[in-house]
Amino acid sequence: MSTAILTGPPVPGSPLEGDLRSLGFDVRIASGADEAAELLGRLPAGERAALVDPRFVGHVHALRLGLTDPRFPAAAIPGAATARPEARAALLAALRQVAAAPRPDSARAPQASGQAAEGAPSGAAATDTHPAPADSLPDLVAGALDAEGAAPHRPGLGTLVATVPGDPQARNEARQAVAAVDDEDVRLRSAVKARDGFFTTFFISPYSRYIARWCARRGLTPNQVTTASLITALIAAAAAATGTRGGFVAAGALLILSFVLDCTDGQLARYSLQYSTLGAWLDATFDRAKEYAYYAGLALGAARGGDDVWALALGAMVLQTCRHVVDFSFNEANHDATGNTSPTAALSDRLDSVGWTVWVRRMIVLPIGERWAMIAVLTAVTTPRIVFYALLVGCAFAAAYTTAGRVLRSLTREARRTDRAAQALADLADSGPLAEGFAAASRGFARRLPSLAPPVIAALGAAAVTLTAWLTPYGSPWTVVAALGYALTSGVAVARPLKGALDWLVPPVFRAAEYGTVLILAARADVNGALPAAFGLVAAVAYHHYDTVYRIRGGTGAPPHRLVRAVGGHEGRTLAVALLATLLGAPQFTVALAVLAVAVALVVVAESVRFWVSSGAPAVHDEGEPA
């Protein structure tokens, strides 16, 4: 429930009350600041409250952006201010402060309506050429919130009108400005993500935005569309698993449909401002589930035709996941870095100023739109083996390109990274009891190492365990020795805060070591079922790692450390798989991998679902994978 308080008598003929009710507000009228404060103080604690100047003239979508976005505790546009329950006390205090303060006639309200709101697109048209009246109470309250350090969010309005005219002439001009701009067109265009890939921008968004509007008008939620996208992708995977040409053609078409729905859910969220923490988690998690389930479907379909491509499917999942971790780690390491300048970044900005290079650079990193389009088309016209070959080559090139660019940026910039960034990288490292024990024992030694030591040490340990698993016979005890060495080097790598220029490489190196070891040992077992079981184990562990990423992104912190300990940490799982391969015969090893996969999945998924369903984290919306 929401309540809007008009801070004066309604203006005859104004549609404002109807507009507010159409947005779900119960409208009440106050005769001035004191009565508005009294009404605000009596509202139920769980309600959103808004203060609106009755002289307001503007688009309904301007009111929607300013008063209904659930992501921000407080927000304001010219002539209106709002607060969610957690910011109601600050809004009431600001209102009482304004009510008690003398207001000379020469005062000017903050954020005059002739100014573009904070965050408005450059070059956006001003909403009014007349300054707001000095007695516009919501503007004064928003200014008081600013002064008290509780600055409300001010959405970018662009060409949308939001103003409080000070005289009849200004009011007439404002109404003409409202009539001159189609706010529904603005709303549809703003539903599309500003920065997207070439395929999504030119082949999906031109019509998916209308699907989003259709869904909104029928009361569908983004979470329902996200779920429909998942179901469609799972049906596509099932079609691919038939192993028939008709099944492959249907699978490709359904995968594209799933992607259309995947774009629609985000556009619906932006169109109707239906953001939620749960929705962000579903959107991000289901993307990975859809893609990896489709890989499994392709592998099953190939097996029906006598072609075993499980190693390729698992390799594609490993490469794609490690590539994402590179993106996540780099972004977290530099999220709040200071002195964050780099000649490489400056060159990148110059390249982006040339129109065609923007699209080329977005396409070569093979974002989700281009990647799924490639997978869908190749599924329909070729074989699963060719699909995976193309996927591995494309993702390897994209990973090399993005990683090289980020390494160059890191080496050429002078950035001071914060404790928060170091903690995020430590959480992404996913260190278990063994690594923690070795880290504690080697802390004094690690402090004396050069700044580039952590990623180098981590890479040496990762190379040792994966090469040993690859070059020694299946079941060799040397694999266990190498896994113990990997646990030791992992501990040394994280023994000090990860604030070095390239320390963001440590988590992706750990992912590559763990996933790669599982892949190699399963392939070396050379028995039916080993690679599918390994696929399941890596999928379960990858879910845990993605869950960690999205918790950090949402500002909720990493999963509880008891969960990391319960599933052993990356080094503990690597050692466990090495021990199983050494102690068990290949058939028993396959069963053990399957059991381990189920156990890890049950633990991490159960805790993840519990957290996200009950989380009180602020509403967010995932804007898609960074790659």
Side-chain angles (χ1 to χ4, degrees):
M1 187 62 183
S2 303
T3 298
I5 300 172
L6 295 184
T7 57
V11 174
S14 170
L16 180 59
E17 289 185 66
D19 291 345
L20 290 169
R21 289 193 176 94
S22 73
L23 297 176
F25 285 93
D26 177 32
V27 179
R28 302 190 186 184
I29 299 172
S31 60
D34 291 331
E35 187 176 348
E38 183 181 348
L39 285 173
L40 182 61
R42 291 204 308 263
L43 293 181
E47 283 192 12
R48 173 192 281 273
L51 300 173
V52 183
D53 194 301
R55 298 164 296 180
F56 175 89
V57 174
H59 288 100
V60 177
H61 192 49
L63 286 171
R64 182 181 291 106
L65 290 172
L67 302 182
T68 68
D69 196 322
R71 295 173 296 175
F72 308 102
I77 58 173
T82 186
R84 287 174 52 81
E86 61 268 29
R88 278 264 305 278
L91 183 71
L92 180 58
L95 177 57
R96 286 172 173 164
Q97 176 185 332
V98 169
R103 280 178 280 160
D105 291 340
S106 61
R108 278 291 179 267
Q111 184 70 30
S113 50
Q115 301 169 329
E118 179 183 330
S122 60
T127 56
D128 187 26
T129 57
H130 297 264
D135 61 348
S136 180
L137 185 60
D139 290 347
L140 295 172
V141 170
L145 287 172
D146 278 326
E148 294 300 316
H153 169 72
R154 288 185 167 89
L157 299 181
T159 57
L160 294 174
V161 176
T163 184
V164 180
D167 56 62
Q169 179 187 351
R171 186 171 190 83
N172 183 56
E173 291 175 358
R175 285 175 170 169
Q176 292 177 7
V178 170
V181 176
D182 183 352
D183 72 336
E184 178 61 21
D185 180 66
V186 173
R187 187 181 179 189
L188 269 175
R189 284 188 284 108
S190 62
V192 177
K193 194 162 52 176
R195 180 182 175 86
D196 224 330
F198 179 86
F199 179 76
T200 305
T201 299
F202 293 103
F203 292 92
I204 303 296
S205 293
Y207 57 88
S208 61
R209 70 184 75 181
Y210 295 102
I211 301 175
R213 181 171 66 181
W214 183 89
C215 293
R217 290 176 175 176
R218 282 151 185 81
L220 298 177
T221 67
N223 290 354
Q224 290 170 331
V225 178
T226 301
T227 304
S229 176
L230 173 66
I231 293 171
T232 305
L234 294 179
I235 296 172
T242 63
T244 64
R245 177 52 52 195
F248 288 148
V249 172
L254 287 168
L255 188 64
I256 291 295
L257 176 58
S258 175
F259 183 64
V260 171
L261 294 173
D262 184 56
C263 295
T264 300
D265 65 0
Q267 291 165 357
L268 175 58
R270 287 182 286 273
Y271 181 85
S272 56
L273 300 186
Q274 296 183 73
Y275 301 104
S276 69
T277 301
L278 176 61
W281 172 71
L282 289 176
D283 186 44
T285 305
F286 283 6
D287 278 353
R288 303 286 76 78
K290 288 180 288 190
E291 187 166 0
Y292 298 156
Y294 192 82
Y295 292 177
L298 282 175
L300 289 169
R304 286 179 177 271
D307 189 13
D308 186 352
V309 297
W310 275 106
L312 297 177
L314 180 50
M317 181 164 66
V318 169
L319 179 58
Q320 188 60 30
T321 303
C322 291
R323 178 183 165 214
H324 279 146
V325 177
V326 168
D327 298 326
F328 297 140
S329 295
F330 178 81
N331 291 337
E332 288 302 327
N334 296 283
H335 181 271
D336 48 8
T338 56
N340 204 357
T341 58
S342 162
T344 309
L347 174 61
S348 177
D349 292 339
R350 285 198 296 273
L351 287 175
D352 279 345
S353 66
V354 182
W356 64 270
T357 65
V358 174
W359 296 115
V360 172
R361 281 154 55 82
R362 291 186 191 178
M363 290 172 68
I364 63 177
V365 298
L366 208 62
I368 188 170
E370 277 74 359
R371 192 168 67 251
W372 282 28
M374 180 186 73
I375 293 170
V377 171
L378 290 179
T379 298
V381 301
T382 65
T383 65
R385 181 172 289 274
I386 293 177
V387 173
F388 285 123
Y389 282 153
L391 191 58
L392 287 166
V393 170
C395 287
F397 177 81
Y401 172 78
T402 54
T403 304
R406 284 164 181 167
V407 167
L408 286 174
R409 288 189 186 204
S410 299
L411 291 175
T412 57
R413 72 176 15 141
E414 295 179 1
R416 292 177 295 280
R417 293 170 178 84
T418 63
D419 291 338
R420 177 206 168 280
Q423 184 58 54
L425 291 180
D427 292 333
L428 290 173
D430 192 36
S431 299
L434 278 175
E436 288 178 337
F438 285 127
S442 62
R443 196 151 284 140
F445 165 74
R447 289 196 185 100
R448 297 192 292 271
L449 293 174
S451 60
L452 294 180
V456 172
I457 293 172
L460 289 174
V465 69
T466 52
L467 288 175
T468 302
W470 186 16
L471 298 176
T472 59
Y474 171 78
S476 169
W478 286 109
T479 306
V480 176
V481 174
L484 284 169
Y486 170 66
L488 172 61
T489 57
S490 299
V492 176
V494 298
R496 69 186 189 195
L498 297 175
K499 294 184 177 181
L502 295 180
D503 284 0
W504 55 269
L505 285 169
V506 171
V509 167
F510 288 165
R511 296 300 83 78
E514 180 184 359
Y515 301 164
T517 301
V518 174
L519 167 59
I520 292 168
L521 290 176
R524 297 300 300 277
D526 197 25
V527 295
N528 289 334
L531 282 167
F535 188 97
L537 175 58
V538 172
V541 175
Y543 176 92
H544 164 58
H545 290 144
Y546 279 112
D547 187 54
T548 301
V549 165
Y550 291 115
R551 292 197 198 201
I552 294 172
R553 270 181 155 193
T556 59
H561 199 59
R562 66 178 183 274
L563 175 67
V564 178
R565 285 178 170 271
V567 294
H570 69 95
E571 82 292 348
R573 291 186 297 270
T574 303
L575 178 59
V577 173
L579 280 168
L580 291 173
T582 301
L583 299 176
L584 301 176
Q588 293 76 24
F589 175 63
T590 298
V591 174
L593 279 181
V595 171
L596 185 58
V598 171
V600 171
L602 287 175
V603 172
V604 299
V605 172
E607 202 285 329
S608 174
V609 171
R610 178 208 62 78
F611 171 80
W612 287 105
V613 170
S614 62
S615 173
V620 295
H621 186 77
D622 182 70
E623 289 297 310
E625 63 181 48

